[in-house]
Amino acid sequence: MKKYQRLVNYYRSHPTWLLLLVLLHFNGIAATAQGTHPHILANPSDKAIILEKIKQQPWANTIFEEMRQHIQPYADRHQTNPEWILSRYLMNRVPGKRYTQFFSDEEGTQLVRYAGDAPHPTVRVSPHKRPPITRDGFSYKMPAIEELVPYDTSTQMLLQSNKPGAAKEWVNPQSFVDKINGNINQLALDAAILYWLTGNTRYATFAADILSQWARGAFYQQPIEGPCRTGFLSIQTLGDGNHEPMALAYDFLYDYLRQQQYTTSWYETVFEKIAHTMTFRGYWNNNWFAAQTPALVFAALSLEDNNKRAYYLDYYLNRDTINGSCGHLGLPSVVKKWLTPDGHWKEPGGYHNYPVSSLLVSAMAMEKNGYAVFEKHPALFEASYVLLKYSFPNFIAPSMGDTGPASQSPECLEIGIAMAKKYNLPVVSQLTAAMEVLISNKWYQRTGGGWLGLLTYLPELPAQTGAMYAWPRSGELDFAKCYLQRNGTNNETGLMYLIQGATYNHNHANGMAMELYGAGTVMGPDPGKGLTYEAPMHVQYYAQWSAHNTVVAGGQSASVPYFKGGGGTKKMGEIKLSAMEPLAGKEAVSALCSFTDTRYTDISTNTQQHRTMAIIRTSPVSGYYVDIFRSGNTYSNDYLYHNIGSGLQLLNSSRQSLAVAAATLPLHSKPADPPGLRIIRDLQSTGKTDAPAIGLFTIPVSGEANRFMQVLFAGAPSRTFYAGKAPATGTADKPYRELPTPTLICRQEGEAWRRPFIAIYEPFSGESNYTVEQISLEDIRKPGEFSAVQVISKQQSRQVILQSLNSQQLYTKGAWKFRGQFGVISLKGDQPEYLYLGDGNEIAWGSYSLSCRQPHSAANLQLLGDQLIISCHQPTLVRIGKSKAKQVVLIVAGKRQELLVITTADGISFEVPPVINASLLIQ
């Protein structure tokens, strides 16, 4: 393969015919594979292996039996009534209207004109790119195949709205046309696979007749005339994915079609039209082109002409077809432009699985035909499991941007495991361990693999060999300016937050937005998307500031220009990382603390903002989040937090209910409320108050103790708290996904820079099982640049949390000193438990201090009775006041090193080299 690649690279600049000769010569395996059928995802030698899989593996047997039971009634009826299924396929059947040409509007949104007349019915094309919705925003139920009108030639269908109590009504089915035909196409593929495995010709006849009717009609059709988003058999190329099963069905039926003397002259033309459309249409500057790759690869691999097959496959393997925003990227460009170094697709996590699963399935087909795609592009292999790396402890991925609930795709993970096994990669044991977690928690069953699993998944998952999936403490997705910290990976007790905000495809206009995890679920999620990208609720709320856990500046925060619909970018600028510990991919200095410090300029209001977030673990089963948010708008600043659940109570610092009254939130009228705050309804307000407050969210859990999130706010002048209801959060766990989202708003009249929003979040299970009792401001002398917050917990412990915008300034009060951006001093009584210098040069409490010369230093000193445990990323000076010790021994992994001790009248000091979890023996 290396020799082949060198030659391909050499001839890439030479004439196409010469390149094709090279491709054919050095892909002998691939070229020969076309002589046998099937060959795209399985070959004749696989048949015995798959039959044995069905016989020995219950999961495979279940898939096979479900396919058989589903197809059998259709196949049996087809013996006596073949027109039943054929008449339900949506075709242009009326003579004179068997259209061959289709014309869209300038945007490629809908068909506006038809032309041509074929001698046979042609395949009906979806007249619109979106599914139909009612005037008041409800979707319609797509009819089952059994509900379809035979030989239907109407442009409308009688559909049932999902609005409660609604009657059926005649509407344009729009993109349902693609999906209905796609469902019948899938029946044909399932039947073709069953025929190949069993030899039962009833399955073959059923599949072949559907396939033949489809190919005969498509033979006469031309790709839609319109912008490059328009497809061949669909208003947009993405819709052509509904016809992917047909190339595979043809592969399994290849010999049968010829034995039974079906006309086969149509297929070469049809498959070339598909391959050509997928190669030169669609968009290369988002996930669009990637989602088209199975259609491209399956069609290209089906071509009999060796030159044509090599021509189109070369575009998939190597070549781009960029024409403005139109076109397709070859795999080298895919990896460079669209995959992070560890394989994450450069869009929200909910869009990772969509393009990546398409790329992976296409690559598997290429591997089956002799192309070592995964060996050549390791980032593509890593893409099969990278979403685990960024997921919450319940395996749900961050929900930023235009996405629904996202998680690691088991399909992608199955492909990753199969390819890791093929190439004997050591990561296979970790991937198997992750898969076992998905299975044991009932998030996945291998019986859900369907026909693809039956054909391509390993019969048995490889042995784990004691491996565990290695979940990192922190992570970074640079394209989204997304930074995460986690502490613990247990589903119930693990903690994790992320903060994100940037301009990229499918982003939201959200400023510095956060998500929070707790008590087994994502409690404070990003909201996901509306019904469609153009739906009013999506445009006015889900894609705007008010739907996110962020701060609205001056009532005007919005993208520039203002977002008016669509699935592209919302230009909001991007947040900047100022400090973070641990950095992505680095070891943490503390088992209990971590933090992230970010900055942002709201470009719509020119407001400077600054957010510091942290995790503080107080026991193996408890902990809390710190959020210090500064926003410099001089008019107003609204701090928003949305939490799943059934309700929100506003309490005082003694946990008594605050008096509230119905209220309205002041909205900016010019322009009219661009962040969408008006969408949050049923507001109850405390009125203006200087006092601290607590927001208590309740999350009912059937059959278990309720879960809660408490949010403790430090007080500040001219502050108003609101409890309201936001629209449903589509990324939340069920049943909260269908419920209004309890929302807390803390409104600051005037600037919130010298009066920052300081909040402590604690998730817990069971009504009285919270641990944080109160918070207070420890130092307010320089509130515009420094915050010191004391958090007091039930365990008789307290933490002094220190955060500064001026990392060179030394701040002191009482027993503590601090110079840096972030630090934590944890105390039991007045005795320190640990000193955590997250980023800075110095931190001290009483007799103990850490100091470093290097900028952005990180260190942690833990005091366990007479034992000291230290971690530091750089040389760190430790001072112990009043100590008269003569010797300090550093113990790292059992090795002892005596450190130089400097004795003064105040005590001792010694420098520790960079270490992680080293013991200090003071003698």
Side-chain angles (χ1 to χ4, degrees):
M1 292 300 293
K2 291 181 179 177
K3 181 179 180 182
Y4 150 77
Q5 188 56 44
R6 284 196 299 269
L7 285 170
V8 168
N9 290 338
Y10 174 77
Y11 285 111
R12 188 172 290 168
S13 59
H14 286 61
T16 301
W17 66 269
L18 188 56
L19 175 60
L20 294 176
L21 290 177
V22 174
L23 285 169
L24 290 171
H25 180 74
F26 287 100
N27 278 288
I29 300 176
T32 349
Q34 307 302 315
T36 59
H37 294 273
H39 67 90
I40 297 177
L41 286 173
N43 55 42
S45 65
D46 292 323
K47 182 174 178 178
I49 297 171
I50 295 169
L51 289 172
E52 184 67 14
K53 190 192 302 186
I54 293 169
K55 180 180 178 181
Q56 298 295 333
Q57 301 299 326
W59 70 268
N61 182 265
T62 298
I63 293 173
F64 174 78
E65 286 300 323
E66 287 179 350
M67 288 173 61
R68 188 183 63 78
Q69 291 172 21
H70 183 54
I71 295 299
Q72 195 70 51
Y74 292 107
D76 289 344
R77 177 169 46 207
H78 196 74
Q79 295 298 301
T80 57
N81 187 10
E83 288 301 309
W84 190 92
I85 191 66
L86 297 179
S87 68
R88 281 159 174 79
Y89 206 96
L90 299 181
M91 308 281 287
N92 303 303
R93 300 180 182 275
V94 178
K97 295 183 179 180
R98 295 166 174 169
Y99 302 120
T100 60
Q101 293 175 277
F102 307 83
F103 304 85
S104 83
D105 58 11
E106 291 182 359
E107 292 76 31
T109 296
Q110 59 188 342
L111 295 179
V112 295
R113 189 163 65 89
Y114 304 81
D117 186 38
H120 302 284
T122 56
V123 178
R124 203 166 146 188
V125 173
S126 277
H128 196 282
K129 69 180 182 181
R130 301 284 187 228
I133 59 174
T134 67
R135 293 183 182 89
D136 46 358
F138 287 88
S139 60
Y140 288 94
K141 298 176 183 177
M142 190 176 73
I145 294 172
E146 287 72 16
E147 297 174 303
L148 297 172
V149 176
Y151 303 108
D152 188 10
T153 58
S154 172
T155 58
Q156 294 195 324
M157 283 186 179
L158 189 60
L159 299 179
Q160 174 69 56
S161 165
N162 284 307
K163 182 178 182 179
K168 287 187 176 182
E169 53 187 322
W170 289 97
V171 295
N172 185 329
Q174 300 191 172
S175 67
F176 280 179
V177 172
D178 281 343
K179 297 183 186 300
I180 289 168
N181 283 346
N183 289 341
I184 298 176
N185 293 343
Q186 188 59 50
L187 292 178
L189 173 57
D190 288 352
I193 294 170
L194 288 171
Y195 161 68
W196 179 62
L197 291 173
T198 66
N200 186 332
T201 57
R202 288 195 171 198
Y203 301 133
T205 304
F206 173 73
D209 286 352
I210 296 172
L211 185 66
S212 184
Q213 177 181 248
W214 170 84
R216 183 177 64 179
F219 174 82
Y220 295 100
Q221 294 177 238
Q222 299 303 317
I224 296 168
E225 293 190 30
C228 62
R229 70 183 299 140
T230 55
F232 171 37
L233 300 177
S234 173
I235 182 64
Q236 54 184 6
T237 54
L238 291 180
D240 280 324
N242 289 288
H243 300 278
E244 286 172 14
M246 301 314 246
L248 298 175
Y250 176 74
D251 192 31
F252 286 106
L253 294 172
Y254 185 90
D255 294 330
Y256 178 83
L257 291 169
R258 285 152 180 80
Q259 292 164 5
Q260 300 301 314
Q261 298 184 345
Y262 281 81
T263 302
T264 58
S265 58
W266 305 314
Y267 291 97
E268 187 82 355
T269 298
V270 172
F271 290 139
E272 185 177 6
K273 286 179 182 179
I274 294 175
H276 192 275
T277 304
M278 298 303 106
T279 299
F280 295 100
R281 293 197 183 187
Y283 297 118
W284 63 270
N285 54 2
N286 57 31
N287 58 52
W288 196 294
F289 76 92
Q292 297 175 188
T293 54
L296 164 61
V297 168
F298 296 166
L301 287 172
S302 299
L303 294 173
E304 302 281 321
D305 187 303
N306 290 343
N307 290 341
K308 290 181 179 178
R309 183 172 64 251
Y311 173 76
Y312 288 112
L313 290 180
D314 183 45
Y315 280 110
Y316 168 77
L317 290 168
N318 301 300
R319 302 170 68 190
D320 305 335
T321 58
I322 297 175
N323 180 14
S325 61
C326 304
H328 157 93
L329 298 181
L331 282 177
S333 295
V334 172
V335 172
K336 182 178 180 180
K337 176 174 175 57
W338 280 109
L339 294 180
T340 63
D342 58 1
H344 195 293
W345 186 260
K346 292 180 182 178
E347 289 181 323
Y351 286 91
H352 175 88
N353 291 330
Y354 180 44
V356 165
S357 62
S358 298
L359 289 167
L360 293 175
V361 171
S362 305
M364 267 207 312
M366 297 297 285
E367 291 269 347
K368 177 61 69 174
N369 285 268
Y371 301 85
V373 173
F374 289 107
E375 183 179 54
K376 184 179 177 185
H377 302 290
L380 183 58
F381 165 70
E382 292 179 42
S384 67
Y385 60 91
V386 71
L387 220 55
L388 289 168
K389 182 178 179 181
Y390 299 97
S391 294
F392 292 98
N394 65 349
F395 281 72
I396 298 299
S399 299
M400 56 191 186
D402 288 341
T403 184
S407 59
Q408 169 63 47
S409 162
E411 176 186 291
C412 293
L413 192 55
E414 288 271 18
I415 294 172
I417 290 171
M419 292 300 105
K421 184 71 173 176
K422 174 180 177 178
Y423 287 106
N424 197 28
L425 301 175
V427 74
V428 68
S429 58
Q430 279 198 42
L431 303 189
T432 303
M435 181 65 83
E436 292 290 356
V437 172
L438 294 178
I439 293 172
S440 64
N441 284 281
K442 299 182 179 179
W443 295 324
Y444 170 61
Q445 294 181 335
R446 299 194 85 195
T447 53
W451 63 269
L452 183 68
L454 188 66
L455 296 177
T456 65
Y457 295 174
L458 294 177
E460 292 183 284
L461 294 173
Q464 292 185 43
T465 64
M468 295 290 290
Y469 178 72
W471 234 329
R473 278 282 298 271
S474 61
E476 173 185 4
L477 287 170
D478 183 66
F479 73 91
K481 303 305 175 189
C482 173
Y483 309 97
L484 67 87
Q485 297 283 357
R486 60 167 61 87
N487 192 300
T489 58
N490 179 273
N491 183 49
E492 291 296 322
T493 62
L495 298 173
M496 176 175 151
Y497 73 79
L498 65 89
I499 182 169
Q500 55 84 20
T503 299
Y504 55 94
N505 200 48
H506 286 297
N507 72 319
H508 277 171
N510 53 231
M512 292 192 288
M514 72 166 176
E515 288 189 81
L516 294 181
Y517 182 88
T521 188
V522 184
M523 284 195 169
D526 228 43
K529 60 184 178 180
L531 194 60
T532 69
Y533 296 139
E534 294 79 25
M537 189 61 77
H538 177 78
V539 175
Q540 298 171 20
Y541 175 74
Y542 287 104
Q544 304 294 349
W545 249 258
S546 61
H548 301 82
N549 302 322
T550 187
V551 168
V552 172
Q556 299 181 75
S557 296
S559 59
V560 180
Y562 185 74
F563 172 64
K564 295 182 179 179
T569 60
K570 296 88 182 169
K571 294 183 179 180
M572 55 151 282
E574 64 181 30
I575 70 177
K576 304 292 185 184
L577 180 66
S578 176
M580 179 177 176
E581 198 290 313
L583 289 166
K586 303 297 183 182
E587 279 195 277
V589 296
S590 169
L592 304 177
C593 302
S594 58
F595 88 103
T596 310
D597 187 287
T598 51
R599 317 288 171 91
Y600 174 64
T601 300
D602 178 349
I603 60 175
S604 62
T605 63
N606 199 32
T607 299
Q608 300 300 309
Q609 295 184 332
H610 174 264
R611 191 169 207 169
T612 300
M613 294 195 66
I615 295 176
I616 311 293
R617 173 70 72 177
T618 53
S619 79
V621 296
S622 64
Y624 59 84
Y625 301 100
V626 180
D627 188 20
I628 302 173
F629 200 127
R630 286 180 164 83
S631 184
N633 193 276
T634 56
Y635 177 73
S636 69
N637 297 275
D638 293 293
Y639 179 102
L640 290 90
Y641 176 68
H642 310 70
N643 200 96
I644 62 170
S646 61
L648 164 63
Q649 294 174 273
L650 295 177
L651 312 174
N652 62 23
S653 58
S654 300
R655 308 189 75 83
Q656 302 299 311
S657 294
L658 286 168
V660 295
T664 57
L665 191 69
L667 302 177
H668 203 283
S669 58
K670 294 181 180 180
D673 183 33
L677 291 167
R678 68 192 180 282
I679 306 296
I680 302 171
R681 304 298 178 89
D682 300 333
L683 289 167
Q684 298 285 314
S685 169
T686 60
K688 288 188 179 180
T689 176
D690 297 350
I694 300 173
L696 183 63
F697 295 88
T698 302
I699 304 100
V701 182
S702 177
E704 300 178 23
N706 288 344
R707 297 168 183 173
F708 301 87
M709 174 69 86
Q710 66 165 343
V711 191
L712 297 91
F713 284 90
S718 299
R719 186 162 284 182
T720 306
F721 294 92
Y722 297 85
K725 295 178 181 178
T729 295
T731 58
D733 289 344
K734 292 183 178 179
Y736 315 113
R737 196 177 298 171
E738 288 82 31
L739 301 175
T741 305
T743 302
L744 189 155
I745 303 173
C746 180
R747 180 176 176 81
Q748 182 71 65
E749 297 288 350
E751 57 80 25
W753 192 270
R754 291 172 50 82
R755 299 170 294 172
F757 300 105
I758 298 177
I760 301 297
Y761 291 81
E762 184 188 19
F764 59 96
S765 296
E767 188 167 355
S768 60
N769 290 333
Y770 62 90
T771 64
V772 176
E773 292 192 308
Q774 66 180 61
I775 68 171
S776 61
L777 297 179
E778 175 76 7
D779 189 344
I780 58 172
R781 289 173 293 175
K782 293 187 176 181
E785 64 179 50
F786 179 70
S787 296
V789 185
Q790 181 173 239
V791 179
I792 299 176
S793 299
K794 283 182 178 178
Q795 298 100 324
Q796 302 302 310
S797 72
R798 59 191 174 106
Q799 287 79 44
V800 178
I801 299 161
L802 307 163
Q803 179 263 344
S804 174
L805 275 64
N806 185 354
S807 60
Q808 301 306 310
Q809 177 67 47
L810 177 66
Y811 299 93
T812 65
K813 185 178 180 182
W816 58 259
K817 295 180 181 179
F818 178 68
R819 183 169 65 244
Q821 286 191 242
F822 188 80
V824 179
I825 300 168
S826 186
L827 305 163
K828 202 82 165 180
D830 285 330
Q831 296 303 308
E833 295 179 300
Y834 63 80
L835 305 179
Y836 170 68
L837 182 65
D839 185 285
N841 295 104
E842 183 176 359
I843 190 167
W845 177 272
S847 299
Y848 295 89
S849 74
L850 300 173
S851 60
C852 314
R853 291 183 296 272
Q854 296 181 12
H856 300 293
S857 293
N860 187 76
L861 181 67
Q862 189 172 8
L863 291 81
L864 301 173
D866 295 334
Q867 186 182 19
L868 302 181
I869 305 295
I870 189 166
S871 295
C872 49
H873 289 322
Q874 64 295 304
T876 301
L877 188 67
V878 180
R879 293 187 177 90
I880 305 177
K882 300 180 182 179
S883 174
K884 298 181 179 179
K886 303 296 184 183
Q887 185 183 51
V888 175
V889 178
L890 181 70
I891 305 172
V892 183
K895 296 183 179 180
R896 300 166 68 93
Q897 176 186 351
E898 186 172 342
L899 301 178
L900 176 64
V901 177
I902 299 174
T903 303
T904 66
D906 296 331
I908 64 171
S909 63
F910 50 89
E911 188 173 76
V912 179
V915 290
I916 296 293
N917 291 328
S919 297
L920 290 170
L921 184 60
I922 314 294
Q923 298 175 324

